[in-house]
Amino acid sequence: MRVLVSNAVAASALTELSSTVASASPVDASVLQASPGRGLVALLAAFVVATLFYAVTLHLAATFFLGTVPTQKAATVAPAPALVSVLLGRYGLERVAFISQELGVLIVVVTTLSADAFVISRVYDLDAVPTAILTLLHFAFAAVLGIALANLFGLS
């Protein structure tokens, strides 16, 4: 009998506690979380991921085109196109009203490829034609790997 009474008291207390918690005003979640896609942390994370992605794809393209090359060269080149693409994608084209989305994408791609070609020519010490070929190979490797990863993670 004593066990039944204590179980009934415990069940009653649990029910009262759960109803009190459920009726309490919820904490505003926006205070606890940063808004997604905004702020310095998101920008730095995007830059780091883009740098790693560009370094891997450039090393694959350089190995395919030039043969055996040190990975440090790709790691040296990768921050330049990553910085240009992240900053233009985040800040550069949002504020210009007369640019359509298609033209904006074209501007980002051309500017990123230009920065990539400039740094590739300096780091790999290549002439104009091999630099252009390696830059286009890098773009192709990045596009193919990017599409494959997007399909893999269901982003497309």
Side-chain angles (χ1 to χ4, degrees), residues 33-96:
Q33 298 175 352
S35 60
R38 303 281 183 229
L40 184 62
V41 174
L43 189 65
L44 288 175
F47 173 71
V48 168
V49 169
T51 300
L52 290 172
F53 179 76
Y54 284 136
V56 168
T57 54
L58 178 59
H59 183 66
L60 291 172
T63 302
F64 177 76
F65 182 62
L66 300 173
T68 304
V69 291
T71 57
Q72 289 83 2
K73 288 186 176 187
T76 304
V77 172
L83 183 67
V84 169
S85 64
V86 167
L87 288 180
L88 277 181
R90 174 72 170 89
Y91 294 112
L93 300 174
E94 289 178 354
R95 307 197 193 290
V96 181

Side-chain angles (χ1 to χ4, degrees), residues 2-146:
R2 187 173 193 186
V3 173
L4 286 174
V5 171
S6 65
N7 284 344
V9 170
S12 170
L14 185 60
T15 305
E16 183 179 329
L17 179 64
S18 66
S19 67
T20 304
V21 170
S23 67
S25 63
V27 176
D28 187 16
S30 65
V31 174
L32 302 175
Q33 298 175 352
S35 60
R38 303 281 183 229
L40 184 62
V41 174
L43 189 65
L44 288 175
F47 173 71
V48 168
V49 169
T51 300
L52 290 172
F53 179 76
Y54 284 136
V56 168
T57 54
L58 178 59
H59 183 66
L60 291 172
T63 302
F64 177 76
F65 182 62
L66 300 173
T68 304
V69 291
T71 57
Q72 289 83 2
K73 288 186 176 187
T76 304
V77 172
L83 183 67
V84 169
S85 64
V86 167
L87 288 180
L88 277 181
R90 174 72 170 89
Y91 294 112
L93 300 174
E94 289 178 354
R95 307 197 193 290
V96 181
F98 63 88
I99 295 179
S100 67
Q101 186 175 7
E102 294 81 16
L103 185 59
V105 170
L106 181 66
I107 290 171
V108 170
V109 168
V110 168
T111 309
T112 303
L113 286 175
S114 299
D116 196 22
F118 178 75
V119 179
I120 284 173
S121 70
R122 301 286 182 204
V123 171
Y124 285 94
D125 196 28
L126 297 173
D127 292 331
V129 173
T131 297
I133 293 171
L134 183 56
T135 303
L136 291 177
L137 276 173
H138 181 211
F139 178 72
F141 275 67
V144 168
L145 187 61

